[in-house]
Amino acid sequence: MEIKYCLSCGTGLAERDFDGTVRMACPACSFVHWGHYSVGVGALLKRDGKILLVRRAQEPGKGRWTNPGGYIEQHEPIHETIVREVLEETGVRAAVRSIIALRDQPRAVHNVYIAFEMEDLGGEPVPDGIEVDAAGFYSVEEIADMNVAGFTLWLIEAMEKARHEGLAVDVRDDASLQGNILFRA
């Protein structure tokens, strides 16, 4: 879908060159359409050596087992998004431990996916019945016989073979960084 009108003031957009890249920009205000993007998050959560998985009840991936996750809301910090998604899809309470993997998928809507290793805070997995129709903790042996999405298998491998603790939240009380949520190794 091509954007035709300014999202700030409603004026018709015009092509404008930005360092050799033509973008749609508003001639009446400072709005520039930089592109179409989506940011997804996913949870990698273990309990007693088993990994939390959900079976997708909707497309994309209907019938496949994946790690819980979803897309961020406009003003929602990513570390709150993943906690919310795990709770909504499975009823399991969790907290962010670290960022363990990242996928960059350039396409018509450029997708970035951030995988979080989560701390288990309890609750028994119960599917939401809307986005997922099954949820539970599964061993590596059980997963081998399930219809698990290839990307989820890659994420599990990335978590199992991680060489460090991942990127953890860096809490700062620095006014110059106010409004930023920082993660670092």
Side-chain angles (χ1 to χ4, degrees), residues 165-184:
E165 297 294 315
L167 302 178
V169 176
D170 183 5
V171 179
R172 298 283 177 123
D173 196 17
D174 183 339
S176 69
L177 296 173
Q178 195 168 31
N180 291 291
I181 299 164
L182 308 167
F183 292 83
R184 65 187 269 173

Side-chain angles (χ1 to χ4, degrees), residues 115-177:
F116 290 88
E117 184 173 11
M118 306 295 287
E119 178 181 349
D120 181 14
L121 300 179
E124 291 307 312
V126 177
D128 70 1
I130 300 166
E131 291 184 63
V132 302
D133 59 13
F137 287 93
Y138 300 93
S139 69
V140 174
E141 296 77 27
E142 291 169 313
I143 290 171
D145 294 328
M146 296 166 64
N147 184 20
V148 178
F151 180 57
T152 296
L153 293 172
W154 180 85
L155 288 172
I156 293 167
E157 179 184 330
M159 178 180 63
E160 296 296 328
K161 293 182 177 180
R163 286 175 260 176
H164 59 79
E165 297 294 315
L167 302 178
V169 176
D170 183 5
V171 179
R172 298 283 177 123
D173 196 17
D174 183 339
S176 69
L177 296 173

